[in-house]
Amino acid sequence: MELRFETRRSDSPWVDTVWTCTNEQVTAMTSVAGVRWGLVFWEQDGRTYAGITGPETRTGTVPVPEGATFTGIDFAVGTSLRAVPTAALVNGGIELPDTTHRTFRLDGERWEKPGPDDAESLVERLVRTGIVVRDPLVTDVLRGHRPAVSGRTIERRFRTVTGLTRGGVRQIERARKAAELLAIGEPAADVVTKLDYFDESHLARALRSYVGRTAGQLREGAGGAIALDLDQRLTS
C-alpha cells in the first residue's frame, strides 16, 4: 500500500516540476503545504479526469482515488491563470469539465491531455494564447532583485498573483526543504542550522503545521502516505 512518486525539474521558466504518481491501494494521504498552483490529470477505472490545484497553506488528510494514476504540472511561482485568480484556488481546486481520454477543456478551449514528457509543450501553447500569464515583478523579486516600488506594492502583487504573502511563501518552502533533508537522514540540528530555524522546537512546529510529520517520522518513513516525493528521485 503506497503512493509512488516520480518528479523532475523543468527547463521551462513557466514550470517548476512535472510529476507522476501511481496509487496502488491508498485511500487517504497527508497533504503538504505548497506555494504553487498546478494542473493535474488522473485516470481511474477507465475514466479520465483533469483539475486545477491551488496553493495550500496547511497540512491535513485528504482522500485519494484508489487505483488511480496521476500526471501533474506544478507551475512556477509568479505565474497564474488568466481566467482563475490564484487567490481563489488557495486550499482548494477545480475539477475541469468534459475531460476525455485524450483532451480536456480549459478557459473555453479544448486541449490535448499531456503526458509527463510533453507537459512543457502544452504549457507553451497555453502561454502563447494568453491563458497562462506571469507577473514580472513577482518573478524579479523571487530572483533576488529589488524593483523600484514600495514594499506595500510588492506585497500586494504577491498576494494577487500567488494568493500568499512573501513570508508565507518562504515559510512553506523552507518547511518542505526541511522535510526533504530529514527524509534523507540529515540530523535535525543540522537542518536547523542550514535553513536558519531558531531551534529544533521552531523546526518541529513548522513541520507540524506545513508537513504533518515529525522529524523522526520523516527519518523513518513513518506516518503513512504523504503528498511529497521523499525518495529523492528528482531529475532534470
Side-chain angles (χ1 to χ4, degrees):
M1 296 177 61
E2 63 177 331
L3 296 175
R4 295 182 179 178
F5 279 97
E6 295 277 356
T7 306
R8 69 169 174 84
R9 295 286 186 196
S10 175
D11 293 331
S12 168
W14 298 85
V15 178
D16 182 65
T17 54
V18 178
W19 56 273
T20 61
C21 177
T22 301
N23 174 24
E24 294 185 344
Q25 294 178 307
V26 173
T27 58
M29 69 178 179
T30 300
S31 64
V32 177
V35 301
R36 294 170 179 81
W37 70 277
L39 291 174
V40 61
F41 309 90
W42 69 100
E43 296 184 3
Q44 182 191 27
D45 297 331
R47 295 190 60 186
T48 303
Y49 306 85
I52 305 168
T53 59
E56 296 190 28
T57 62
R58 56 183 181 266
T59 185
T61 301
V62 297
V64 184
E66 190 173 355
T69 58
F70 302 82
T71 297
I73 305 170
D74 286 344
F75 285 77
V77 178
T79 66
S80 60
L81 280 168
R82 174 180 64 188
V84 184
T86 305
L89 297 169
V90 174
N91 295 322
I94 300 171
E95 186 172 330
L96 297 173
D98 298 332
T99 300
T100 72
H101 183 66
R102 297 186 60 183
T103 66
F104 69 102
R105 187 175 296 278
L106 178 65
D107 201 2
E109 299 184 47
R110 187 162 287 283
W111 304 89
E112 186 173 348
K113 185 172 68 71
D117 296 327
D118 53 10
E120 284 83 359
S121 296
L122 168 65
V123 173
E124 288 176 9
R125 294 193 295 274
L126 296 176
V127 170
R128 284 199 303 268
T129 55
I131 290 175
V132 173
V133 296
R134 178 170 54 194
D135 186 324
L137 184 146
V138 172
T139 302
D140 284 347
V141 170
L142 290 168
R143 291 173 177 168
H145 300 161
R146 296 185 177 181
V149 296
S150 69
R152 181 176 296 180
T153 296
I154 293 173
E155 190 63 42
R156 176 173 52 80
R157 296 272 282 272
F158 250 84
R159 283 182 176 272
T160 298
V161 174
T162 70
L164 306 170
T165 64
R166 278 194 293 169
V169 169
R170 286 194 297 267
Q171 290 171 24
I172 292 170
E173 290 282 76
R174 182 167 62 163
R176 291 174 67 99
K177 182 62 177 178
E180 293 170 1
L181 293 174
L182 290 164
I184 60 173
E186 288 262 7
D190 291 352
V191 173
V192 166
T193 301
K194 186 174 293 186
L195 299 182
D196 200 28
Y197 282 101
F198 182 74
D199 54 24
E200 289 190 35
S201 295
H202 185 200
L203 169 62
R205 287 193 296 273
L207 293 173
R208 186 167 59 249
S209 296
Y210 298 128
V211 182
R213 291 286 189 275
T214 66
Q217 286 174 320
L218 289 163
R219 280 195 301 269
E220 296 162 8
I226 187 169
L228 196 62
D229 184 358
L230 295 178
D231 289 338
Q232 298 301 299
R233 293 191 296 269
L234 194 64
T235 59
S236 59

